[in-house]
Amino acid sequence: MSKIENLELLVVGGGPAGLSAALAAANYGIKVSLAEEREFLGGQLIKQTHRFFGSEKEYAGTRGIDILRKLIDEVNKNKNIEVLLSSRVLGIYEDNVVTILNDHKMKKYYPQSIIFATGASEKFLAFENNDLPGIFGAGAVQTLMNVYGVLPATNVLMIGSGNIGLIVSYQLLQAGVKVAAIVEAAPKIGGYSVHASKLRRLGVPILTSHTIKKAIGKEKVEGAVICELDSNWNEVKDTEQLIKCDAICLSVGLTPLVDLLKQRKVKTNYVSELGGYVPLRDENMETSIKNLFVAGDVSGIEEATAAMIEGQIAGLSVAKRIGKNNKREIEKRIEDAKNELELLRSGPVGKKIRKGLFKLGLNHGKNYNENFSEEALDISHLMKTGVPSEENLKNKLPSEEKVFDKGPIAISECFQRFPCDPCVKSCPFNAISENGNINNIPYVDFEKCTGCGICVSKCPGLAMFVVHKNFSETTSVVIMPYEFLPRPHRGEIVKVLDREGKYLCDGKVIRILDGKFQDKTAAVSIEIPKEYYLQARNFKVEE
Ligand code: SF4
Ligand code: SF4
């Protein structure tokens, strides 16, 4: 019989929630063992080459992969954290003994507290021929491209327009893969509109109220048949169309990985808004079993920012309970983290999460205003197509045309209420405001804006542009964000595109800001014929 090792805190899962939980507890002197089944830490962060939304405190504006580097660096420096890589937790028993498989050896541990941050698995979709080679989950595509540097295909059809579907589509394009279309069964786009709009500007069609009927191909995927859906989710007759592609990527949701929790008989409820079966827990992330906590996607599917805050709450809660000092300070930090989480969830995009948490018995008495209008603007057209309406655009432009005469000014094409503020925080002239709430839509004060272009590179949604209407008698200049290779060079003539990726005119690159400060989101100034200053929002470099 092998010896049982005592632990103070075992954190299961080395993704954003697990890393944050381990650090939060270890920083208050708790001895933490962090078990990760893979041979590296990071969970989903390792694949996330895009910048995060959310609040500055939780790394808004920083790429997931860079957040991971920072967290790993902190973990490595922290003497209270022992990292157990390639360590799969196989079981947890009634006496809280945990078995971990490492290097073909089974070890037993007896932790005083456990935080489960085991994440989620991808959902699959039933359709004809869904077992053909060439059908991937979006997470698998991201792993192939961003972890192993392997392209999954040359022309992909994406199913699902949640943030993961939109982000992976963008990453496929960055890797040089064509995205034939994004198919979404719901009548509106599931992810953030800024992600959808940047794909539309690259010419990718987003087909809402559509679904996949079958995959076509003998040995592997050669195409897919899709069709339109009516408001009752029934197929609309004679709307079938064949889309040619050599891979189909499914991004149709995630399910919390609660198997170990169920093994330990943690109480769970089925809450569709949170992705499936989720553990009952209190606001400190403690489950129905004392000293057993959860954090991140295993407790309900949400953004990585929320996962990191939940990790902090769980880690701090353990430190408060079993640590010896700083109880007051820890309590204050837990309160701050809860308030931050509440703020992130308080806007329209947090409604689903709030509903799910309510079903778990959480958030009673919280001051969410469920009656505020869904959006400050009517963005139904934008959420259906990914392209803003004339009305949306008018709302963000100066009320008087003469404002353009003062020189370059920033135009924000961000129309949806969701938690994000790097534009506000990046402007050195305080020219962008969200009226004190991170969930509000950002507006530019054209009086204060100097047209410096800093916000163009800092916006994770690529939704900030600078327009210099009267650059010359006949030309305007638009500064656009650009995240593709090859970069254009100064003086190069490029194809200028509109918000649907359609060719508008040729433009001349007159300046490129692409240094450390821009952090791989170049700000490219393109000179164009004056008539296009309100339409030109993307460009293509001829290879
Ligand atoms: S262009 Fe410069 S001054 Fe204007 S809003 Fe952006 S960062 Fe602020
Ligand atoms: S414009 Fe501001 S709020 Fe909108 S995506 Fe960009 S940084 Fe976030």
Side-chain angles (χ1 to χ4, degrees), residues 254-394:
L254 300 171
T255 301
L257 276 169
V258 292
D259 310 59
L260 284 167
L261 297 171
K262 284 196 167 174
Q263 194 184 22
R264 182 60 187 87
K265 297 198 169 50
V266 168
K267 285 187 186 151
T268 57
N269 266 4
Y270 186 85
V271 182
S272 59
E273 290 84 355
L274 299 179
Y277 280 98
V278 284
L280 296 183
R281 82 270 178 166
D282 65 15
E283 290 190 341
N284 295 319
M285 308 306 295
E286 189 167 17
T287 65
S288 57
I289 306 266
K290 198 163 182 233
N291 295 327
L292 207 159
F293 296 76
V294 285
D297 277 351
V298 70
S299 61
I301 307 302
E302 219 176 330
E303 296 295 316
T305 307
M308 287 190 279
I309 303 176
E310 284 184 346
Q312 287 163 20
I313 294 172
L316 290 166
S317 299
V318 171
K320 188 179 147 197
R321 177 156 313 153
I322 65 174
K324 291 182 183 59
N325 304 311
N326 307 100
K327 300 260 178 191
R328 282 239 170 104
E329 186 185 309
I330 296 172
E331 239 165 61
K332 163 93 179 57
R333 285 203 52 203
I334 294 175
E335 255 343 277
D336 288 349
K338 284 183 191 168
N339 290 338
E340 206 187 336
L341 202 50
E342 192 176 337
L343 183 67
L344 286 179
R345 290 168 174 162
S346 66
V349 296
K351 196 171 178 178
K352 190 169 144 195
I353 299 295
R354 296 199 297 274
K355 206 170 158 195
L357 293 174
F358 189 80
K359 286 185 181 173
L360 280 185
L362 293 165
N363 282 318
H364 288 287
K366 283 285 164 77
N367 197 24
Y368 291 129
N369 179 5
E370 299 294 353
N371 298 322
F372 60 74
S373 67
E374 266 292 282
E375 304 289 345
L377 297 173
D378 174 4
I379 56 166
S380 46
H381 181 267
L382 172 66
M383 295 315 290
K384 192 172 166 49
T385 62
V387 181
S389 67
E390 288 297 315
E391 273 308 300
N392 295 160
L393 294 169
K394 227 165 92 191

Side-chain angles (χ1 to χ4, degrees), residues 470-483:
N470 300 315
F471 181 70
S472 77
E473 257 320 79
T474 55
T475 63
S476 300
V477 165
V478 181
I479 308 179
M480 306 183 200
Y482 194 71
E483 293 186 328

Side-chain angles (χ1 to χ4, degrees), residues 53 194 414 418 420 422-423 434 442 459-461 463-464:
F53 297 107
V194 284
C414 182
F418 70 103
C420 185
C423 55
E434 287 180 325
C459 164
M464 295 299 304

